[in-house]
């Protein structure tokens, strides 16, 4: 449980009603301690497009060039606010903004931070320097055919785990967005058909019981499977079936060796 640990305190993201599996991130949308949205965006689709999306630079580079305030789409979903983590390769400071060239291993993009706020805020953070990792929050913008990120906030990364975490987060959300819609029509995993070699009644029953169990990251408890199948199979038969399914790659253990989950997510 808990909130998005690397969000910088004021930021979190969610995907509507979709829970990304991180406890406190089952909310829907963009939340910021100060600004980050505008009234125009509310009129063009409510708060849905204010969702904060973790991305790689490559994903931003692959977005087709658009003009004006045309919506940006990633994985078929309208995206307004993005966050990325990368290394600062160059800094160009001007009177009204600072442009950071940020690279994350998948590509490089300019990130522009405006410093002419009416309140005199948003001044460059001295901790942000060439060769240092940063986390960026902002929006992808196009101007004269080139793309850049207009940043609302840039902060130095102080924990190296955040770099790995963000990369995994970006991949995970990408897979959620691109694979879940096809779940109902997905082909069954190899070896799970009714004529699969070695798929005895008890082994098939175990798979069905796991599929019927309440969804959760811990999977299904072996004891619960035994109880659900007690009228048809002995506990030792269920245990043997679980061992076989793990060895054959149909199941994997989760929080301990007494909790299992199916490798077939369809």
């Amino acid at each position: 449980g808990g909130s998005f640990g690397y969000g910088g305190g004021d930021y979190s993201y969610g995907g509507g009603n979709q829970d990304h599996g991180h406890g406190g991130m089952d909310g829907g949308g963009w939340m910021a301690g100060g600004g980050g949205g505008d009234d125009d965006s509310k009129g063009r689709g409510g708060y849905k497009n204010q969702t904060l999306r973790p991305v790689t630079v490559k994903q931003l580079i692959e977005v087709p060039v658009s003009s004006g305030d045309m919506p940006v789409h990633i994985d078929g979903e309208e995206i307004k606010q993005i966050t990325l983590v990368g290394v600062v390769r160059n800094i160009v400071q001007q009177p009204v903004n600072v442009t950071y060239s940020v690279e994350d291993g998948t590509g490089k993009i300019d990130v522009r931070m405006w410093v002419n706020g009416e309140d005199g805020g948003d001044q460059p953070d001295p901790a942000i320097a060439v060769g240092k990792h940063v986390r960026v929050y902002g929006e992808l913008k196009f101007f004269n055919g080139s793309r850049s990120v207009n940043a609302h906030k840039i902060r130095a990364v102080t924990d190296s785990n955040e770099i790995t975490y963000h990369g995994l987060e970006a991949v995970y959300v990408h897979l959620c967005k691109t694979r879940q819609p096809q779940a109902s029509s997905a082909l069954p995993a190899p070896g799970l058909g009714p004529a699969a070699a070695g798929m005895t009644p008890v082994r098939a029953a175990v798979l069905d019981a796991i599929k019927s169990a309440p969804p959760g990251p811990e999977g299904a408890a072996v004891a619960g499977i035994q109880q659900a199948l007690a009228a048809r199979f002995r506990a030792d038969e269920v245990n043997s079936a679980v061992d076989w399914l793990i060895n054959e790659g149909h199941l994997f253990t989760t929080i301990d060796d007494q909790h299992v989950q199916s490798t077939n997510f369809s």
Side-chain angles (χ1 to χ4, degrees), residues 140-157:
L140 180 64
K141 294 293 185 180
F142 297 95
F143 183 73
N144 288 341
S146 64
R147 74 193 66 214
S148 62
V149 174
N150 274 9
H152 306 306
K153 180 180 177 69
I154 304 176
R155 63 171 177 79
V157 171

Side-chain angles (χ1 to χ4, degrees), residues 11 15 108 119 172 178 258:
Y11 296 83
K108 186 162 61 176
D119 59 357
Y172 177 78
T178 55
Q258 291 302 306

Side-chain angles (χ1 to χ4, degrees), residues 58-198:
K58 182 174 185 288
Q59 287 177 297
L60 299 181
I61 292 174
E62 290 177 346
V63 173
V65 175
S66 63
S67 59
D69 290 327
M70 292 294 291
V72 170
H73 289 82
I74 297 177
D75 297 332
E77 180 178 71
E78 182 178 341
I79 299 297
K80 190 165 181 68
Q81 312 291 348
I82 60 94
T83 181
L84 63 91
V85 173
V87 180
V88 176
R89 295 304 185 191
N90 190 42
I91 301 176
V92 177
Q93 190 154 356
Q94 297 178 330
V96 296
N97 63 57
V98 181
T99 299
Y100 302 91
S101 180
V102 178
E103 180 184 9
D104 70 349
T106 70
K108 186 162 61 176
I109 195 168
D110 285 343
V111 176
R112 190 165 288 110
M113 186 79 181
W114 298 91
V115 295
N116 61 337
E118 295 179 3
D119 59 357
D122 294 334
Q123 295 301 311
D125 183 348
I128 298 173
V130 173
K132 300 293 186 180
H133 278 86
V134 293
R135 179 178 283 277
V136 176
Y137 302 92
E139 301 178 36
L140 180 64
K141 294 293 185 180
F142 297 95
F143 183 73
N144 288 341
S146 64
R147 74 193 66 214
S148 62
V149 174
N150 274 9
H152 306 306
K153 180 180 177 69
I154 304 176
R155 63 171 177 79
V157 171
T158 57
D159 184 349
S160 60
N161 289 323
E162 181 173 359
I163 303 165
T164 303
Y165 180 90
H166 175 79
L168 293 172
E169 192 85 68
V171 170
Y172 177 78
V173 176
H174 166 69
L175 291 175
C176 284
K177 301 296 183 183
T178 55
R179 293 177 63 179
Q180 283 189 347
Q182 287 81 37
S184 61
S185 60
L187 293 174
L192 292 186

